[in-house]
Amino acid sequence: LKFRVIRSAIKETELFLGMFWETAKLSQIYAEAKKLRNSPLAEIFRSGYIELEKVRKLATSPMQDLGQASSDLDLISPIMGMGNIRRALEQAMIAERTRLEKNLNFLATTGSTSPFIGLFGTVWGIMDAFRKIGVRGSTNLATVAPGISEALIATAAGLFAAIPAVVAYNYYIGKVKNLSSEMDNFSSGAVCLALASEP
């Protein structure tokens, strides 16, 4: 599941970036970005564009329609508009990071706890083997070996679960960090410049 989410995010992000740099009109980029639901950059752009449209409507609305005094016109300034857009971009970035990191905690928990669960099973099996030794009163290999070999199965099972979980967690967290860096660069640079320069 995580593999599909990350793969589609990377693929659609590449498509969006190509389209973003080749298209001049923001409205056209917005229409195309709606199709790329798995791209975090497309989602960030959509959030910024929606906020830009809100700021434009406020700036072009007659003051009497807003029920405000003319002295309040300073509130709808380009600086405040960019502040609102930046906040929208930040919120979109947080939401996208949360979406991309979803269920990664399960892998981290599996990787960190499985060896201990396996160790607990091993200790329990060895305790059982020693109990059998006490009951039989003999310490030969035929008495000890079966119990200890069964006990080590729990350790092997714990490692069998933990190793792939840790590898997968590190792989996916690396991909999420790369996408997060792209989101930071995109939102701080390209989107703000494009939104600010759009007439």
Side-chain angles (χ1 to χ4, degrees):
L1 175 67
K2 203 74 224 170
F3 176 76
R4 286 200 303 267
V5 169
I6 298 290
R7 183 181 61 181
S8 61
I10 292 170
K11 185 178 177 181
E12 290 191 10
T13 293
E14 290 173 359
L15 289 172
F16 174 76
L17 280 175
M19 182 258 305
F20 178 82
W21 292 115
E22 291 171 4
T23 309
K25 288 186 68 70
L26 292 185
S27 56
Q28 188 178 350
I29 297 172
Y30 177 74
E32 291 296 320
K34 285 182 178 179
K35 302 172 187 174
L36 305 173
R37 288 289 173 188
N38 296 315
S39 170
L41 270 60
E43 184 61 38
I44 290 167
F45 175 81
R46 285 195 298 269
S47 298
Y49 186 82
I50 289 168
E51 192 61 36
L52 174 67
E53 288 301 306
K54 289 179 186 175
V55 170
R56 281 183 183 163
K57 285 178 184 174
L58 283 174
T60 56
S61 295
M63 296 311 293
Q64 59 268 22
D65 290 348
L66 295 173
Q68 295 175 323
S70 59
S71 61
D72 290 340
L73 183 60
D74 294 338
L75 293 174
I76 308 169
S77 65
I79 294 172
M80 186 166 180
M82 281 305 295
N84 291 343
I85 292 168
R86 284 185 187 276
R87 275 191 293 279
L89 296 175
E90 286 291 329
Q91 289 172 353
M93 280 198 310
I94 291 168
E96 287 303 302
R97 278 197 190 104
T98 302
R99 181 180 71 86
L100 292 172
E101 291 174 356
K102 185 179 178 183
N103 297 329
L104 285 181
N105 287 339
F106 173 76
L107 287 175
T109 302
T110 302
S112 60
T113 59
S114 293
F116 294 110
I117 294 170
L119 183 60
F120 175 75
T122 301
V123 170
W124 189 271
I126 291 173
M127 285 170 53
D128 188 51
F130 281 126
R131 185 186 58 77
K132 287 179 182 175
I133 290 171
V135 170
R136 293 183 184 171
S138 64
T139 58
N140 61 15
L141 190 60
T143 305
V144 177
I148 292 178
S149 66
E150 287 176 8
L152 292 174
I153 292 173
T155 301
L159 292 174
F160 183 76
I163 292 169
V166 170
V167 170
Y169 174 79
N170 288 331
Y171 174 78
Y172 291 130
I173 208 72
K175 294 291 185 184
V176 170
K177 282 182 181 177
N178 288 342
L179 285 168
S180 294
S181 297
E182 284 190 28
M183 286 189 279
D184 288 334
N185 293 337
F186 184 73
S187 65
S188 63
V191 170
C192 286
L193 286 172
L195 296 178
S197 62
E198 178 80 351

mmCIF file of all heavy atoms in Angstrom, residues 8 11-17 19 29-43 46 96 99:
data_model
loop_
_atom_site.group_PDB
_atom_site.id
_atom_site.type_symbol
_atom_site.label_atom_id
_atom_site.label_comp_id
_atom_site.label_asym_id
_atom_site.label_seq_id
_atom_site.Cartn_x
_atom_site.Cartn_y
_atom_site.Cartn_z
ATOM 1 N N SER A 8 3.032 6.605 -6.839
ATOM 2 C CA SER A 8 2.121 7.503 -7.560
ATOM 3 C C SER A 8 2.414 8.962 -7.233
ATOM 4 O O SER A 8 2.300 9.831 -8.097
ATOM 5 C CB SER A 8 0.666 7.166 -7.238
ATOM 6 O OG SER A 8 0.404 7.317 -5.862
ATOM 7 N N LYS A 11 5.534 9.869 -9.324
ATOM 8 C CA LYS A 11 5.217 9.918 -10.752
ATOM 9 C C LYS A 11 4.390 11.149 -11.096
ATOM 10 O O LYS A 11 4.690 11.880 -12.055
ATOM 11 C CB LYS A 11 4.464 8.642 -11.136
ATOM 12 C CG LYS A 11 4.184 8.509 -12.614
ATOM 13 C CD LYS A 11 3.482 7.189 -12.910
ATOM 14 C CE LYS A 11 3.136 7.070 -14.379
ATOM 15 N NZ LYS A 11 2.422 5.812 -14.685
ATOM 16 N N GLU A 12 3.345 11.405 -10.312
ATOM 17 C CA GLU A 12 2.484 12.552 -10.603
ATOM 18 C C GLU A 12 3.185 13.876 -10.314
ATOM 19 O O GLU A 12 2.893 14.886 -10.952
ATOM 20 C CB GLU A 12 1.181 12.440 -9.820
ATOM 21 C CG GLU A 12 0.286 11.331 -10.334
ATOM 22 C CD GLU A 12 -1.110 11.377 -9.752
ATOM 23 O OE1 GLU A 12 -1.458 12.376 -9.082
ATOM 24 O OE2 GLU A 12 -1.857 10.407 -9.970
ATOM 25 N N THR A 13 4.107 13.891 -9.363
ATOM 26 C CA THR A 13 4.876 15.107 -9.089
ATOM 27 C C THR A 13 5.756 15.461 -10.278
ATOM 28 O O THR A 13 5.870 16.637 -10.649
ATOM 29 C CB THR A 13 5.717 14.921 -7.816
ATOM 30 O OG1 THR A 13 4.842 14.812 -6.693
ATOM 31 C CG2 THR A 13 6.658 16.093 -7.589
ATOM 32 N N GLU A 14 6.382 14.446 -10.884
ATOM 33 C CA GLU A 14 7.194 14.706 -12.079
ATOM 34 C C GLU A 14 6.336 15.259 -13.215
ATOM 35 O O GLU A 14 6.734 16.192 -13.915
ATOM 36 C CB GLU A 14 7.900 13.421 -12.513
ATOM 37 C CG GLU A 14 9.002 12.985 -11.563
ATOM 38 C CD GLU A 14 9.571 11.618 -11.912
ATOM 39 O OE1 GLU A 14 9.095 10.997 -12.893
ATOM 40 O OE2 GLU A 14 10.483 11.175 -11.200
ATOM 41 N N LEU A 15 5.143 14.666 -13.390
ATOM 42 C CA LEU A 15 4.230 15.170 -14.423
ATOM 43 C C LEU A 15 3.812 16.609 -14.144
ATOM 44 O O LEU A 15 3.778 17.449 -15.051
ATOM 45 C CB LEU A 15 2.986 14.278 -14.494
ATOM 46 C CG LEU A 15 3.155 12.875 -15.065
ATOM 47 C CD1 LEU A 15 1.878 12.074 -14.883
ATOM 48 C CD2 LEU A 15 3.541 12.942 -16.537
ATOM 49 N N PHE A 16 3.510 16.898 -12.878
ATOM 50 C CA PHE A 16 3.073 18.244 -12.524
ATOM 51 C C PHE A 16 4.180 19.265 -12.741
ATOM 52 O O PHE A 16 3.930 20.359 -13.263
ATOM 53 C CB PHE A 16 2.603 18.286 -11.070
ATOM 54 C CG PHE A 16 2.286 19.671 -10.602
ATOM 55 C CD1 PHE A 16 1.116 20.314 -10.989
ATOM 56 C CD2 PHE A 16 3.175 20.368 -9.795
ATOM 57 C CE1 PHE A 16 0.834 21.600 -10.588
ATOM 58 C CE2 PHE A 16 2.903 21.654 -9.379
ATOM 59 C CZ PHE A 16 1.727 22.275 -9.776
ATOM 60 N N LEU A 17 5.404 18.947 -12.324
ATOM 61 C CA LEU A 17 6.511 19.895 -12.484
ATOM 62 C C LEU A 17 6.759 20.209 -13.965
ATOM 63 O O LEU A 17 6.989 21.371 -14.324
ATOM 64 C CB LEU A 17 7.779 19.347 -11.840
ATOM 65 C CG LEU A 17 7.876 19.491 -10.327
ATOM 66 C CD1 LEU A 17 9.113 18.801 -9.800
ATOM 67 C CD2 LEU A 17 7.867 20.953 -9.916
ATOM 68 N N MET A 19 4.566 20.081 -16.376
ATOM 69 C CA MET A 19 3.461 20.912 -16.834
ATOM 70 C C MET A 19 3.538 22.325 -16.234
ATOM 71 O O MET A 19 3.251 23.305 -16.907
ATOM 72 C CB MET A 19 2.143 20.229 -16.432
ATOM 73 C CG MET A 19 0.895 20.945 -16.864
ATOM 74 S SD MET A 19 0.123 21.870 -15.527
ATOM 75 C CE MET A 19 -0.097 20.632 -14.280
ATOM 76 N N ILE A 29 -2.866 25.744 -15.300
ATOM 77 C CA ILE A 29 -2.128 24.834 -14.412
ATOM 78 C C ILE A 29 -3.072 24.281 -13.350
ATOM 79 O O ILE A 29 -3.053 23.086 -13.033
ATOM 80 C CB ILE A 29 -0.930 25.556 -13.754
ATOM 81 C CG1 ILE A 29 0.084 25.998 -14.812
ATOM 82 C CG2 ILE A 29 -0.261 24.656 -12.730
ATOM 83 C CD1 ILE A 29 1.186 26.882 -14.277
ATOM 84 N N TYR A 30 -3.926 25.150 -12.821
ATOM 85 C CA TYR A 30 -4.880 24.721 -11.784
ATOM 86 C C TYR A 30 -5.830 23.653 -12.327
ATOM 87 O O TYR A 30 -6.099 22.650 -11.659
ATOM 88 C CB TYR A 30 -5.662 25.927 -11.279
ATOM 89 C CG TYR A 30 -6.722 25.596 -10.264
ATOM 90 C CD1 TYR A 30 -6.381 25.259 -8.968
ATOM 91 C CD2 TYR A 30 -8.075 25.604 -10.620
ATOM 92 C CE1 TYR A 30 -7.350 24.939 -8.030
ATOM 93 C CE2 TYR A 30 -9.052 25.295 -9.697
ATOM 94 C CZ TYR A 30 -8.680 24.960 -8.392
ATOM 95 O OH TYR A 30 -9.647 24.644 -7.477
ATOM 96 N N ALA A 31 -6.317 23.855 -13.546
ATOM 97 C CA ALA A 31 -7.240 22.880 -14.154
ATOM 98 C C ALA A 31 -6.549 21.535 -14.350
ATOM 99 O O ALA A 31 -7.133 20.478 -14.081
ATOM 100 C CB ALA A 31 -7.763 23.411 -15.478
ATOM 101 N N GLU A 32 -5.283 21.560 -14.776
ATOM 102 C CA GLU A 32 -4.542 20.315 -14.980
ATOM 103 C C GLU A 32 -4.151 19.671 -13.645
ATOM 104 O O GLU A 32 -4.105 18.452 -13.530
ATOM 105 C CB GLU A 32 -3.285 20.574 -15.819
ATOM 106 C CG GLU A 32 -3.559 20.945 -17.264
ATOM 107 C CD GLU A 32 -4.224 19.814 -18.030
ATOM 108 O OE1 GLU A 32 -3.840 18.643 -17.832
ATOM 109 O OE2 GLU A 32 -5.146 20.100 -18.819
ATOM 110 N N ALA A 33 -3.869 20.512 -12.649
ATOM 111 C CA ALA A 33 -3.451 19.990 -11.338
ATOM 112 C C ALA A 33 -4.572 19.226 -10.644
ATOM 113 O O ALA A 33 -4.308 18.350 -9.814
ATOM 114 C CB ALA A 33 -2.972 21.142 -10.455
ATOM 115 N N LYS A 34 -5.819 19.539 -10.975
ATOM 116 C CA LYS A 34 -6.949 18.818 -10.383
ATOM 117 C C LYS A 34 -6.921 17.335 -10.725
ATOM 118 O O LYS A 34 -7.422 16.508 -9.961
ATOM 119 C CB LYS A 34 -8.272 19.412 -10.873
ATOM 120 C CG LYS A 34 -8.636 20.731 -10.248
ATOM 121 C CD LYS A 34 -9.985 21.183 -10.788
ATOM 122 C CE LYS A 34 -10.417 22.487 -10.157
ATOM 123 N NZ LYS A 34 -11.707 22.946 -10.685
ATOM 124 N N LYS A 35 -6.320 16.997 -11.858
ATOM 125 C CA LYS A 35 -6.257 15.599 -12.287
ATOM 126 C C LYS A 35 -5.193 14.809 -11.535
ATOM 127 O O LYS A 35 -5.235 13.591 -11.500
ATOM 128 C CB LYS A 35 -5.986 15.527 -13.791
ATOM 129 C CG LYS A 35 -7.020 16.242 -14.642
ATOM 130 C CD LYS A 35 -6.573 16.288 -16.092
ATOM 131 C CE LYS A 35 -7.517 17.152 -16.918
ATOM 132 N NZ LYS A 35 -7.014 17.330 -18.301
ATOM 133 N N LEU A 36 -4.222 15.512 -10.969
ATOM 134 C CA LEU A 36 -3.096 14.859 -10.297
ATOM 135 C C LEU A 36 -3.331 14.846 -8.785
ATOM 136 O O LEU A 36 -2.690 15.575 -8.032
ATOM 137 C CB LEU A 36 -1.786 15.572 -10.653
ATOM 138 C CG LEU A 36 -1.491 15.700 -12.147
ATOM 139 C CD1 LEU A 36 -0.282 16.566 -12.387
ATOM 140 C CD2 LEU A 36 -1.310 14.319 -12.774
ATOM 141 N N ARG A 37 -4.246 14.002 -8.343
ATOM 142 C CA ARG A 37 -4.667 13.980 -6.938
ATOM 143 C C ARG A 37 -3.612 13.409 -6.001
ATOM 144 O O ARG A 37 -3.648 13.649 -4.803
ATOM 145 C CB ARG A 37 -5.960 13.171 -6.785
ATOM 146 C CG ARG A 37 -7.163 13.869 -7.344
ATOM 147 C CD ARG A 37 -7.533 15.037 -6.463
ATOM 148 N NE ARG A 37 -8.588 15.849 -7.053
ATOM 149 C CZ ARG A 37 -8.956 16.991 -6.547
ATOM 150 N NH1 ARG A 37 -8.370 17.484 -5.493
ATOM 151 N NH2 ARG A 37 -9.914 17.690 -7.121
ATOM 152 N N ASN A 38 -2.663 12.637 -6.530
ATOM 153 C CA ASN A 38 -1.661 12.006 -5.667
ATOM 154 C C ASN A 38 -0.370 12.808 -5.553
ATOM 155 O O ASN A 38 0.512 12.442 -4.783
ATOM 156 C CB ASN A 38 -1.341 10.595 -6.182
ATOM 157 C CG ASN A 38 -2.543 9.679 -6.098
ATOM 158 O OD1 ASN A 38 -3.237 9.652 -5.096
ATOM 159 N ND2 ASN A 38 -2.793 8.937 -7.157
ATOM 160 N N SER A 39 -0.261 13.883 -6.328
ATOM 161 C CA SER A 39 0.956 14.695 -6.282
ATOM 162 C C SER A 39 0.877 15.716 -5.150
ATOM 163 O O SER A 39 -0.032 16.548 -5.134
ATOM 164 C CB SER A 39 1.153 15.431 -7.609
ATOM 165 O OG SER A 39 2.188 16.383 -7.489
ATOM 166 N N PRO A 40 1.828 15.674 -4.205
ATOM 167 C CA PRO A 40 1.801 16.680 -3.133
ATOM 168 C C PRO A 40 2.039 18.098 -3.650
ATOM 169 O O PRO A 40 1.441 19.050 -3.151
ATOM 170 C CB PRO A 40 2.926 16.241 -2.188
ATOM 171 C CG PRO A 40 3.760 15.289 -2.953
ATOM 172 C CD PRO A 40 2.907 14.702 -4.022
ATOM 173 N N LEU A 41 2.861 18.247 -4.687
ATOM 174 C CA LEU A 41 3.120 19.575 -5.234
ATOM 175 C C LEU A 41 1.881 20.150 -5.911
ATOM 176 O O LEU A 41 1.603 21.347 -5.794
ATOM 177 C CB LEU A 41 4.287 19.530 -6.221
ATOM 178 C CG LEU A 41 5.676 19.765 -5.631
ATOM 179 C CD1 LEU A 41 6.021 18.740 -4.583
ATOM 180 C CD2 LEU A 41 6.724 19.814 -6.709
ATOM 181 N N ALA A 42 1.132 19.294 -6.599
ATOM 182 C CA ALA A 42 -0.108 19.752 -7.232
ATOM 183 C C ALA A 42 -1.110 20.206 -6.175
ATOM 184 O O ALA A 42 -1.799 21.212 -6.349
ATOM 185 C CB ALA A 42 -0.702 18.637 -8.095
ATOM 186 N N GLU A 43 -1.174 19.477 -5.062
ATOM 187 C CA GLU A 43 -2.090 19.855 -3.977
ATOM 188 C C GLU A 43 -1.681 21.181 -3.352
ATOM 189 O O GLU A 43 -2.520 22.028 -3.038
ATOM 190 C CB GLU A 43 -2.129 18.751 -2.919
ATOM 191 C CG GLU A 43 -3.118 18.999 -1.804
ATOM 192 C CD GLU A 43 -4.548 19.103 -2.299
ATOM 193 O OE1 GLU A 43 -4.929 18.363 -3.220
ATOM 194 O OE2 GLU A 43 -5.285 19.951 -1.763
ATOM 195 N N ARG A 46 -2.668 23.917 -5.762
ATOM 196 C CA ARG A 46 -4.113 24.152 -5.738
ATOM 197 C C ARG A 46 -4.507 24.994 -4.530
ATOM 198 O O ARG A 46 -5.316 25.905 -4.636
ATOM 199 C CB ARG A 46 -4.875 22.813 -5.724
ATOM 200 C CG ARG A 46 -4.895 22.117 -7.046
ATOM 201 C CD ARG A 46 -5.939 21.004 -7.093
ATOM 202 N NE ARG A 46 -5.676 19.955 -6.125
ATOM 203 C CZ ARG A 46 -4.957 18.880 -6.364
ATOM 204 N NH1 ARG A 46 -4.401 18.701 -7.546
ATOM 205 N NH2 ARG A 46 -4.780 17.965 -5.439
ATOM 206 N N GLU A 96 0.032 17.242 3.380
ATOM 207 C CA GLU A 96 0.640 16.286 2.456
ATOM 208 C C GLU A 96 1.702 15.443 3.145
ATOM 209 O O GLU A 96 1.822 14.246 2.877
ATOM 210 C CB GLU A 96 1.231 17.011 1.246
ATOM 211 C CG GLU A 96 0.191 17.532 0.283
ATOM 212 C CD GLU A 96 -0.715 16.436 -0.231
ATOM 213 O OE1 GLU A 96 -0.209 15.461 -0.829
ATOM 214 O OE2 GLU A 96 -1.935 16.523 -0.033
ATOM 215 N N ARG A 99 -0.085 12.866 5.099
ATOM 216 C CA ARG A 99 -0.620 11.811 4.219
ATOM 217 C C ARG A 99 0.478 10.847 3.782
ATOM 218 O O ARG A 99 0.292 9.628 3.783
ATOM 219 C CB ARG A 99 -1.274 12.443 2.985
ATOM 220 C CG ARG A 99 -1.876 11.437 2.012
ATOM 221 C CD ARG A 99 -2.506 12.139 0.817
ATOM 222 N NE ARG A 99 -1.531 12.719 -0.071
ATOM 223 C CZ ARG A 99 -0.919 12.060 -1.066
ATOM 224 N NH1 ARG A 99 -1.184 10.785 -1.277
ATOM 225 N NH2 ARG A 99 -0.053 12.676 -1.839
#
